[in-house]
Amino acid sequence: MIKFEHVSKTYPNGVKGLQDINLEIEDGEFVGIIGMSGAGKSTFIRTINRLNNITEGKLTVDGVEISNLKGKALRRFRRKIGMIFQSYNLVPRITVIRNVMSSLVPDMSLWRVILGLFSKDDKIRALKALDRVSMLDKAFVRTDQLSGGQQQRVSLARTLAQNPSVLLADEPVAALDPVTAHEVMDDFKRINDELGQTVLINIHHVDLALDYAKRIIGIRAGRVVYDGPVSGVTQEILDNIYSKNEAE
């Protein structure tokens, strides 16, 4: 479970990224986070794995207050939280399988990292992750030969290989065409359904959020202005989420 208790985030320049967030996300949920650009969606996502530190309140994941984590404890915690970005963050001139196996480096000994030695189990783990996103046939292709959608699937496979309990995705389909965006969202849904992994997606496309997520969190001016099932999202609620006026 992920639990926000009066969580706020104020940046050094005084901008309030989040304001008094109170909510719980149960294990296995598929949550779509929607709102205008600058509303605080990315800030919300990135507080969960401590890419952004909160400035007020309490944020716990599986009962652990993450603000207290430091050093090795923080690194171990982050291994349980997978993160997928819009920009893929892949190494273009190496093969797909080596990109996926790069997620295993933190668990390897220093000499294996230096020599680039991956075990048979590492390779099997990477191949299984690629199979999950229908990219097994591209395992030994150089990554820079793939389309944008294929690269995002490799990015997802790389995250799956580290066996996280939570998947965070920050605008994962923003750069993709509509058909490819649906294909990538299909992967997220299948992973959520089959593996039971918690999925939180910050997504610009409202239609995709409503098609794939089971729960919607609407953020405006750093505040949650809607939190509920997809079936409860009306045009009036969307108008409120995307209003240019600050939340009360």
Side-chain angles (χ1 to χ4, degrees), residues 64-126:
V64 177
E65 187 173 356
I66 65 173
S67 293
N68 296 331
L69 298 176
K70 297 178 182 178
K72 290 183 179 179
L74 178 57
R75 290 192 292 272
R76 284 196 299 269
F77 164 75
R78 282 178 169 157
R79 294 291 290 154
K80 300 178 183 178
I81 312 293
M83 186 79 181
I84 296 98
F85 299 90
Q86 177 181 342
S87 57
Y88 320 138
N89 292 344
L90 300 173
V91 181
R93 295 190 178 185
I94 65 174
T95 61
V96 164
I97 190 171
R98 289 192 70 85
N99 264 288
V100 174
M101 288 191 296
S102 69
S103 68
L104 308 178
V105 166
D107 299 325
M108 294 167 56
S109 62
L110 180 60
W111 69 270
R112 285 181 59 202
V113 173
I114 293 172
L115 297 175
L117 298 177
F118 293 96
S119 68
K120 180 180 178 180
D121 286 343
D122 292 337
K123 293 173 183 176
I124 291 173
R125 193 166 162 182

Side-chain angles (χ1 to χ4, degrees), residues 141-156:
V141 173
R142 260 183 37 161
T143 308
D144 56 7
Q145 296 177 10
L146 303 180
S147 68
Q150 290 172 327
Q151 289 189 54
Q152 190 59 288
R153 285 174 145 170
V154 173
S155 176
L156 179 53

Side-chain angles (χ1 to χ4, degrees), residues 20 68 110 132 137 214 230:
D20 198 29
N68 296 331
L110 180 60
R132 282 279 179 194
D137 61 323
K214 298 172 185 175
V230 170

